[in-house]
Amino acid sequence: MNKTVIVSNRLPVDLKYVDDNLVAKSSSGGLATGMKSVHSEGNGIWIGWSGLANEDMSDIQKLEVDAALANEKCVAVPLSHTDIDNYYYGFSNTALWPLFHYFQAYTEFELSHWESYVEVNQKFADVVLENVNDGDTVWVHDYQLLLLPELLRKKNPTLTIGFFLHIPYPSYELFRTCPWRNELLQGMLGADLIGFHTYDYARHFISSVGRIKDVEINFNEISYGNRIIKVDSFPMGIDYNRYHNAALEHDKYPEDSKSELMKSIDFHNRSNDESKLILSIDRMDYTKGIPNRIKSFEYFLNKYPEYKGKVRLVMLAVPSRENVAQYQLLKRETDELVGRINGDLSTISWTPIWYFYRSLPFDELIDLYVSSDVAMVTPVRDGMNLVAKEYVATRTKENGVLILSEMAGAAKEMHEAIIVNPNNFDQIADSIKMALEMPAEEQKTRLEALQKRISRYDVERWAGEFLKALKVAKEAVPVQVAKKLTPNKIEEIAQHYKTATKKLLLLDYDGTLVGFKNNPSEARPTQELYDLLDKINSDENTEVAIISGRDRKTLEGWFGHKNYTLVTDHGAWLRKIGEDWAALDHLKSSWKENIRPVLEAFTDSTPGALIEEKEYSLAWHYRKADAEMAALRTMELKHVLKSLLFNNSLSVLDGNKVLEVKNSNINKGRAATGIISNTKYDFIFAIGDDWTDEFMFEELPETAYTVKVGNVKTVANYFIKDNTEVLGLLQRITTL
Ligand code: GDG
């Protein structure tokens, strides 16, 4: 039976040597909970770093660690201190983390860090590949492993690979600054499904892919090589019941079993009838907006001094990545701010900020959640933020108010919170006041709505939805019929060419015989091309046919003096060798007067776009336009054209960076049929790169050799990498 393998930087097991004895404790973090059923199912395993560096363990200890992990169905990726320094603290946390959270000034691109990132991703790949069988599913997590999907796919294409990013995906403008942007995208595109917390992150990712890679994008589907990759949003939830039930239990604690923290909170609550607690919980990370939160609390106290002596900010900051310089600076800044504000405002009976720089056990975390009247979750950038959801889950008495930053992914689904801009202190101050004064009824209404959503879309549901979508994504992959044209096959075609008695070569022009130019008029044939075509055309019983979307005038200008068969305007006109031009259909072109102004309007508003007018069609080229703007405009234009093309006589061809309006009954398939209908060819070879060439491939007999330029979805039998290979290929086929 196939299994599911989870891969993340860290394993969900905490390992520690206590007095030389190994203690393994399974983690209860969000991800571990969400994956519980996936992980425990069948022979599923989790692969990641154990948290212990190679050098710190003896050989015996390594075996001991592996055995302890095996008990938990985990497999370790062995990493050294250098790996951790360069791959984890280095590239992951001083390049990717700040870059993806819009902290460009903190982003350091170090070659040695990048090299280590590549190496460690390969180490992960090696361990995964050792532990999977064909057909297994692998779910890769987070920014530390962006290269892994591709590394796995390359070695084992039978795997179903999912990737989920837990942090934001930045806009292209930020992402493009990364020197290894291409490699990173390439790595991610090894997956069948790429998931993000929000639609915006997915949109940014698709935009980067569209601008950096040469791929076809259709809404949330990317056609890459012979695969379709789905991109979607899956907002991660929490283990709702765990938090909710813990909060219900909390109320039953006898006085003497209360933690020191809880006793202090009780003391605070008793000190004043109007006393209130505002909660803040995060890892000590510059993305979490801790200094801003402290400053906005100070701003609140100064703007509404009546709250001095009554309201406290309880701030838990959990130590994190302490050996990265920016985290040390943040810690210092936070210490100083708290010190200054407490120094300025404290009274004998009141300290405005209670600040804890440590991690608390789960029960004490619940103490904090349950005891706080308001939670301030105001990161400057956050992929999702689970603290916001956990706070809501613990509000079993239907009271409490959440102030949530619009920069957290969670804000996209927690509309009933008070949503703030974390940089707007005035707005935050007013929001704190509003939260503190919110009528009980309103608190209840807001919380009920939040709880309903968060309990329904919990972490297990999140994992389930992702895996369901992954299965669908894998199944959606088209069956690849086109095979790469191998040297052996080329040899075989050449043999056939040599012995055949009546030969036809149907050759698309742009993107096939010549590369694309920004302006279509620049793509003139080269002398090399003329020489090759002349040579082929002069072979006995051999007919060269150029079958193009170009207009008759252009093609005649370039090839009129040659003795080739010419098809222009996607098949509207045909000139057989030695014959005159003949229209393949009786066509009208009066419709152009209505469509041209529409295209002109879109050209005006899309810098770089241009119109090409052909006898029977109008083409709107956007190769030179900004990719994202063009994507938007083509969508609009298609919509407008569709509403104008009220009868079936016109259709819109969606070509390679071109939209072309033409008479419906013209296509290269009909033209090809026209050419072969009266002659018995025993060798037909057709080659083209475009969507419009698919008609030609489709109509040709099964014995024809059909070749697509570019490894994309096609009905052709074979494909080659790109148009730089075309002339060499023609040369080899026709010269034996
Ligand atoms: C990344 C993304 C995304 C905190 N202090 C203590 C403690 N915690 C727990 C919280 C919560 C978790 O840590 C923090 O999760 P967040 O989601 O808030 O933030 P990140 O760690 O930055 O996580 C984030 C997440 O991945 C999931 O995709 O939401 O945007 O940055 O569960 O309760 N737990 C205990 N003691 C503490 O002192 N026991």
Side-chain angles (χ1 to χ4, degrees):
M1 202 185 101
N2 289 335
K3 62 177 177 296
T4 301
V5 176
I6 305 155
V7 195
S8 62
N9 175 52
R10 284 295 298 271
L11 287 171
V13 183
D14 293 322
L15 292 175
K16 245 191 274 162
Y17 271 97
V18 182
D19 301 332
D20 281 343
N21 291 323
L22 181 65
V23 184
K25 198 170 149 254
S26 57
S27 135
S28 48
L31 189 59
T33 312
M35 295 289 141
K36 208 177 275 164
S37 55
V38 182
H39 187 201
S40 56
E41 219 172 63
N43 42 356
I45 48 169
W46 196 315
I47 295 175
W49 182 48
S50 68
L52 299 170
N54 277 345
E55 301 93 318
D56 298 343
M57 291 182 284
S58 66
D59 288 346
I60 293 178
Q61 284 179 324
K62 279 180 198 158
L63 292 175
E64 206 175 32
V65 164
D66 286 347
L69 290 176
N71 252 343
E72 306 281 338
K73 299 175 76 176
C74 289
V75 178
V77 178
L79 297 183
S80 66
H81 279 298
T82 318
D83 290 335
I84 295 302
D85 285 347
N86 293 335
Y87 138 84
Y88 181 70
Y89 291 113
F91 196 72
S92 299
N93 286 318
T94 51
L96 293 177
W97 177 271
L99 183 68
F100 280 38
H101 285 89
Y102 293 75
F103 277 78
Q104 200 183 8
Y106 288 9
T107 306
E108 289 170 22
F109 297 123
E110 274 280 339
L111 182 61
S112 59
H113 290 172
W114 163 250
E115 285 168 349
S116 169
Y117 187 81
V118 175
E119 246 173 62
V120 172
N121 269 256
Q122 187 60 56
K123 286 187 184 182
F124 272 80
D126 294 342
V127 177
V128 175
L129 289 164
E130 271 166 32
N131 284 280
V132 288
N133 297 316
D134 287 358
D136 281 352
T137 295
V138 183
W139 185 356
V140 181
H141 290 268
D142 230 359
Y143 65 105
Q144 302 92 348
L145 300 173
L146 295 178
L147 305 179
L148 187 55
E150 162 80 357
L151 293 173
L152 298 176
R153 162 128 358 249
K154 256 197 327 219
K155 283 281 160 59
N156 190 341
T158 70
L159 298 174
T160 299
I161 305 172
F163 178 83
F164 188 83
L165 187 73
H166 289 261
I167 64 175
Y169 191 92
S171 106
Y172 167 71
E173 283 306 322
L174 256 280
F175 185 70
R176 69 189 300 194
T177 61
C178 178
W180 303 285
R181 59 196 183 185
N182 196 25
E183 289 86 340
L184 293 173
L185 289 184
Q186 179 90 9
M188 292 173 81
L189 289 175
D192 297 295
L193 172 68
I194 303 176
F196 298 91
H197 282 305
T198 73
Y199 168 70
D200 280 341
Y201 307 155
R203 197 167 56 75
H204 286 152
F205 172 72
I206 288 178
S207 145
S208 283
V209 172
R211 285 153 182 264
I212 295 169
K213 310 290 284 181
D214 190 15
V215 292
E216 254 179 67
I217 296 173
N218 201 351
F219 297 102
N220 67 336
E221 286 184 358
I222 301 173
S223 298
Y224 188 49
N226 60 344
R227 298 187 302 118
I228 289 186
I229 299 151
K230 294 244 166 126
V231 179
D232 219 333
S233 62
F234 302 86
M236 186 173 171
I238 57 164
D239 184 357
Y240 186 87
N241 289 337
R242 176 163 187 250
Y243 287 87
H244 195 76
N245 294 339
L248 290 172
E249 285 303 307
H250 168 96
D251 296 334
K252 301 180 195 153
Y253 288 168
E255 192 65 31
D256 55 357
S257 72
K258 282 186 176 172
S259 65
E260 284 311 306
L261 173 71
M262 198 55 226
K263 285 178 192 158
S264 313
I265 293 172
D266 284 347
F267 175 77
H268 160 84
N269 286 339
R270 280 194 298 269
S271 66
N272 186 322
D273 281 353
E274 294 173 286
S275 65
K276 301 265 184 176
L277 282 186
I278 300 178
L279 178 65
S280 149
I281 295 182
D282 329 79
R283 275 186 309 102
M284 178 64 96
D285 194 297
Y286 48 80
T287 62
K288 303 289 182 183
I290 295 169
N292 271 12
R293 194 172 313 146
I294 300 171
K295 286 181 206 162
S296 59
F297 180 62
E298 180 190 29
Y299 187 97
F300 158 78
L301 289 174
N302 288 329
K303 185 170 180 186
Y304 300 107
E306 63 273 24
Y307 282 102
K308 285 184 184 168
K310 297 174 189 162
V311 177
R312 272 200 174 101
L313 175 65
V314 181
M315 214 179 72
L316 174 65
V318 181
S320 179
R321 303 171 198 166
E322 285 170 294
N323 36 1
V324 174
Q326 303 297 351
Y327 289 73
Q328 295 160 4
L329 287 177
L330 171 70
K331 164 79 169 49
R332 196 174 322 142
E333 185 187 356
T334 307
D335 290 354
E336 283 169 9
L337 263 176
V338 173
R340 180 183 61 72
I341 295 169
N342 278 348
D344 285 354
L345 300 177
S346 290
T347 61
I348 301 171
S349 57
W350 177 71
T351 321
I353 304 173
W354 280 356
Y355 168 43
F356 304 93
Y357 180 63
R358 61 181 152 109
S359 161
L360 290 182
F362 179 74
D363 288 344
E364 294 189 31
L365 192 75
I366 297 297
D367 287 346
L368 284 181
Y369 279 141
V370 169
S371 319
S372 306
D373 304 280
V374 175
M376 266 178 95
V377 180
T378 55
V380 283
R381 212 44 89 157
D382 212 338
M384 170 55 72
N385 196 297
L386 300 180
V387 169
K389 294 188 174 182
E390 292 166 8
Y391 177 71
V392 165
T394 58
R395 308 311 299 171
T396 50
K397 295 186 182 133
E398 309 296 348
N399 61 1
V401 183
L402 173 65
I403 297 176
L404 179 60
S405 161
E406 65 184 56
M407 306 296 177
K412 292 276 179 279
E413 41 175 333
M414 301 181 78
H415 311 291
E416 295 81 1
I418 301 180
I419 306 289
V420 296
N421 175 344
N423 304 307
N424 187 340
F425 296 173
D426 198 51
Q427 183 198 26
I428 297 177
D430 290 350
S431 300
I432 296 175
K433 183 169 186 288
M434 176 182 167
L436 294 170
E437 293 171 5
M438 188 178 283
E441 199 45 43
E442 187 179 344
Q443 293 184 30
K444 186 167 183 277
T445 313
R446 288 179 185 243
L447 275 171
E448 273 174 356
L450 286 167
Q451 288 178 341
K452 199 166 154 206
R453 192 168 324 109
I454 289 165
S455 58
R456 201 174 49 224
Y457 204 97
D458 67 0
V459 69
E460 234 180 281
R461 168 97 183 264
W462 166 78
E465 297 279 327
F466 183 90
L467 287 172
K468 213 160 49 183
L470 178 55
K471 195 159 173 267
V472 174
K474 182 70 173 182
E475 283 163 3
V477 170
V479 183
Q480 165 81 344
V481 284
K483 298 191 198 78
K484 191 168 168 52
L485 208 47
T486 58
N488 281 350
K489 190 72 208 176
I490 295 171
E491 180 75 24
E492 195 187 311
I493 301 173
Q495 278 297 346
H496 185 180
Y497 180 85
K498 199 173 164 192
T499 53
T501 53
K502 190 75 187 148
K503 300 173 264 194
L504 171 67
L505 290 99
L506 293 157
L507 312 172
D508 168 50
Y509 186 73
D510 293 279
T512 303
L513 293 179
V514 296
F516 283 109
K517 297 281 183 297
N518 281 334
N519 189 326
S521 67
E522 291 164 8
R524 299 184 59 80
T526 58
Q527 193 54 45
E528 185 198 3
L529 177 61
Y530 280 134
D531 291 346
L532 176 65
L533 296 181
D534 283 345
K535 189 191 128 288
I536 299 173
N537 208 42
S538 66
D539 281 351
E540 219 176 319
N541 291 320
T542 305
E543 182 178 345
V544 165
I546 296 184
I547 182 159
S548 164
R550 292 278 184 163
D551 65 11
R552 185 174 135 182
K553 196 162 150 255
T554 309
L555 228 65
E556 196 160 40
W558 290 343
F559 297 107
H561 59 298
K562 299 286 182 188
N563 198 24
Y564 312 154
T565 289
L566 300 178
V567 172
T568 70
D569 302 85
H570 296 296
W573 290 98
L574 167 69
R575 192 197 75 175
K576 282 284 280 178
I577 290 185
E579 295 178 16
D580 270 343
W581 284 101
L584 278 164
D585 279 291
H586 284 293
L587 302 166
K588 283 195 193 144
S589 56
S590 51
W591 55 267
K592 287 205 277 186
E593 301 317 311
N594 298 325
I595 300 296
R596 194 184 302 103
V598 177
L599 297 187
E600 278 166 357
F602 273 81
T603 307
D604 289 344
S605 60
T606 316
L610 57 97
I611 299 172
E612 186 191 2
E613 177 142 6
K614 306 183 194 177
E615 204 160 358
Y616 290 112
S617 72
L618 285 173
W620 191 73
H621 292 268
Y622 54 88
R623 179 165 300 277
K624 248 173 85 180
D626 173 87
E628 188 142 295
M629 179 187 272
L632 201 75
R633 291 277 191 276
T634 42
M635 210 129 76
E636 283 168 14
L637 180 55
K638 271 194 251 179
H639 192 73
V640 172
L641 289 173
K642 220 162 129 191
S643 62
L644 289 172
L645 310 181
F646 36 84
N647 61 34
N648 289 333
S649 65
L650 294 179
S651 57
V652 181
L653 269 184
D654 200 348
N656 195 334
K657 310 274 195 251
V658 56
L659 280 187
E660 187 155 355
V661 186
K662 62 165 198 54
N663 290 68
S664 299
N665 43 4
I666 302 173
N667 69 52
K668 287 186 179 178
R670 289 188 60 164
T673 312
I675 297 174
I676 60 174
S677 56
N678 295 325
T679 314
K680 250 185 134 16
Y681 297 98
D682 57 353
F683 177 95
I684 300 175
F685 177 91
I687 187 163
D689 73 303
D690 205 332
W691 195 78
T692 61
D693 298 310
E694 296 293 316
F695 289 111
M696 164 170 81
F697 299 145
E698 226 159 27
E699 293 296 326
L700 290 174
E702 269 177 29
T703 50
Y705 302 102
T706 48
V707 182
K708 179 85 170 181
V709 179
N711 183 11
V712 291
K713 214 162 62 179
T714 178
V715 293
N717 309 122
Y718 301 98
F719 72 89
I720 56 170
K721 198 171 111 260
D722 56 35
N723 83 294
T724 60
E725 295 185 354
V726 173
L727 299 195
L729 174 66
L730 291 174
Q731 180 89 43
R732 275 154 66 201
I733 287 174
T734 56
T735 323
L736 202 72

